[in-house]
Amino acid sequence: MAMYRKLGEATPQRKALLRTQVTDLIYKGRIITTEARAKEVQKMADPLIAMAVKEKDNFETVKVQAKVARKDKDGKRVKQIVDKETGKVLAESAHDKDGKVVKMDNGKTVTVYDTVEKEIKKDKPSRMHARRKMLSVLYPVTEVGKAGAGAKKSTKEIDLADKLFNEYAPKYANRKGGYTRIIKIGPRRGDAAMEVVLELV
C-alpha cells in the first residue's frame, strides 16, 4: 500500500504539481485546491516550516567589503572616460553639459565604483543544509512589477528560503507543529471533488 496519494498523475507530474502548490502556499500564504492534494501539500509544507523554525538563529554576522556602483542624482550609474593604456582619468563624466556623449580617441567609458562595508548573514553548516533542502522543494518565484515602462526594472526574484527563515520562523517559534490548516468550502462544480482552502495558521 502506498504511503501517499497518487492523485491520478504519473510520478514526475505529481511531484511537479505538489512542488508548485507548496511554493504557492509559502509565497501567498493560502491556496485553493482539492482535499486530496491539500493533504499531500500539507505533508510537504509543515516540515519545511519546522526546519526554518529550528534553524532560524543558526547564522553569524560577518562584515565584508563590497564594490557598489556610484549613482548620480537621477539614480543612474556615474561613468568616467579613462585612458585605454594607462587607466588615467581623461574626463570625470561620459556626458557633457548638454547631455551628449563625449568621445575621445584613446579613451574608454567605465563605471565608477565605491567600496563600502556591509554586514551579511553567513549560514552555519546545518542552516545551509536546511536552505538547500528547502530549495530542492520550492520553485524560484519572480515578482513582476506593474505594466508599463518600469515593469522590467521592478521585476525581482523572491528568496522563499529567506522568507521562511525571516518571516515565518519567528511567527511560529513557540508553536510545536500544525502550521497549516484545511477549511472545506464545498464540492467543485463539474466533478464534485471537495474543494478546500489550505492556509498557514
Side-chain angles (χ1 to χ4, degrees), residues 66-72 75-79 111-116 118:
K67 282 189 172 182
V68 179
R70 191 184 296 168
K71 305 258 175 117
D72 62 10
K76 293 181 180 176
R77 290 180 171 200
V78 175
K79 299 196 182 250
T111 305
V112 180
Y113 289 95
D114 294 323
T115 305
V116 294
K118 286 186 173 182

Coordinates of all heavy atoms in Angstrom, one line a residue, residues 66-72 75-79 111-116 118:
A66 N 32.5 45.5 -0.1 CA 31.8 45.3 -1.4 C 31.9 46.5 -2.3 O 32.0 47.7 -1.8 CB 30.3 45.0 -1.1
K67 N 32.0 46.3 -3.6 CA 32.0 47.4 -4.5 C 30.6 47.7 -5.0 O 29.9 46.8 -5.4 CB 32.9 47.0 -5.7 CG 34.4 47.1 -5.5 CD 35.1 46.9 -6.8 CE 36.6 47.2 -6.6 NZ 37.4 47.0 -7.8
V68 N 30.2 49.0 -4.9 CA 28.9 49.4 -5.3 C 29.0 50.5 -6.3 O 29.9 51.4 -6.1 CB 28.1 49.9 -4.1 CG1 26.7 50.4 -4.5 CG2 28.0 48.8 -3.0
A69 N 28.3 50.4 -7.4 CA 28.3 51.5 -8.4 C 27.8 52.8 -7.9 O 26.8 52.9 -7.2 CB 27.5 51.1 -9.6
R70 N 28.6 53.9 -8.1 CA 28.2 55.2 -7.7 C 27.1 55.7 -8.6 O 27.0 55.5 -9.8 CB 29.4 56.2 -7.8 CG 29.2 57.5 -7.2 CD 30.4 58.4 -7.4 NE 31.6 57.9 -6.8 CZ 32.8 58.4 -7.1 NH1 33.0 59.4 -7.9 NH2 33.9 57.9 -6.5
K71 N 26.1 56.3 -7.9 CA 24.9 56.8 -8.7 C 24.8 58.3 -8.6 O 25.2 59.0 -7.6 CB 23.6 56.2 -8.0 CG 23.6 54.7 -7.9 CD 22.8 54.1 -9.0 CE 22.9 52.6 -9.0 NZ 21.7 51.9 -8.7
D72 N 24.2 58.9 -9.7 CA 24.0 60.4 -9.7 C 22.7 60.7 -9.1 O 22.0 59.8 -8.6 CB 24.2 60.9 -11.1 CG 23.1 60.4 -12.1 OD1 22.2 59.7 -11.6 OD2 23.3 60.6 -13.3
G75 N 19.7 58.7 -10.1 CA 19.7 57.2 -9.9 C 20.5 56.4 -10.9 O 20.4 55.2 -10.9
K76 N 21.2 57.1 -11.9 CA 21.9 56.4 -12.9 C 23.3 56.3 -12.5 O 23.9 57.1 -11.7 CB 21.8 57.2 -14.2 CG 20.4 57.3 -14.8 CD 20.4 58.0 -16.1 CE 19.0 58.1 -16.7 NZ 18.9 58.9 -17.9
R77 N 24.0 55.2 -13.1 CA 25.4 55.0 -12.7 C 26.3 56.1 -13.3 O 26.1 56.6 -14.4 CB 25.9 53.7 -13.3 CG 25.2 52.5 -12.7 CD 25.7 51.2 -13.3 NE 25.3 50.1 -12.5 CZ 25.8 48.9 -12.5 NH1 26.8 48.7 -13.3 NH2 25.4 47.9 -11.7
V78 N 27.3 56.5 -12.5 CA 28.3 57.5 -12.9 C 29.3 56.8 -13.7 O 29.9 55.8 -13.3 CB 28.9 58.2 -11.7 CG1 30.0 59.1 -12.1 CG2 27.8 58.9 -10.8
K79 N 29.6 57.4 -14.9 CA 30.7 56.8 -15.8 C 31.7 57.9 -16.1 O 31.5 59.0 -16.2 CB 30.0 56.4 -17.1 CG 28.9 55.3 -16.9 CD 28.6 54.6 -18.1 CE 27.5 53.6 -17.8 NZ 27.9 52.3 -17.9
T111 N 32.4 52.4 -15.5 CA 31.6 52.7 -14.4 C 32.4 53.0 -13.1 O 33.4 52.3 -12.9 CB 30.6 51.6 -14.1 OG1 29.8 51.3 -15.3 CG2 29.6 52.0 -13.0
V112 N 32.1 54.0 -12.4 CA 32.8 54.3 -11.1 C 32.2 53.5 -10.0 O 31.0 53.5 -9.8 CB 32.7 55.9 -10.8 CG1 33.5 56.2 -9.6 CG2 33.2 56.7 -12.0
Y113 N 33.1 52.8 -9.2 CA 32.6 52.0 -8.1 C 33.2 52.6 -6.8 O 34.3 53.1 -6.8 CB 33.1 50.6 -8.3 CG 32.3 49.8 -9.3 CD1 32.8 49.7 -10.6 CD2 31.1 49.2 -9.1 CE1 32.1 49.1 -11.6 CE2 30.4 48.6 -10.0 CZ 30.9 48.5 -11.3 OH 30.2 47.8 -12.3
D114 N 32.4 52.5 -5.7 CA 32.9 52.9 -4.4 C 32.9 51.6 -3.5 O 32.1 50.7 -3.7 CB 31.9 53.9 -3.7 CG 31.9 55.2 -4.4 OD1 33.0 55.7 -4.9 OD2 30.8 55.8 -4.5
T115 N 33.9 51.5 -2.6 CA 34.0 50.4 -1.7 C 33.2 50.7 -0.4 O 33.5 51.8 0.2 CB 35.4 50.1 -1.4 OG1 36.1 49.9 -2.6 CG2 35.6 48.8 -0.6
V116 N 32.3 49.9 -0.1 CA 31.5 50.1 1.1 C 31.6 48.8 2.0 O 31.9 47.7 1.5 CB 30.0 50.4 0.8 CG1 29.9 51.7 0.1 CG2 29.4 49.3 0.1
K118 N 29.7 46.2 4.3 CA 28.4 45.7 4.6 C 28.4 44.6 5.6 O 29.4 43.9 5.7 CB 27.8 45.1 3.3 CG 27.4 46.1 2.2 CD 26.7 45.4 1.1 CE 26.1 46.4 0.1 NZ 25.4 45.7 -1.0

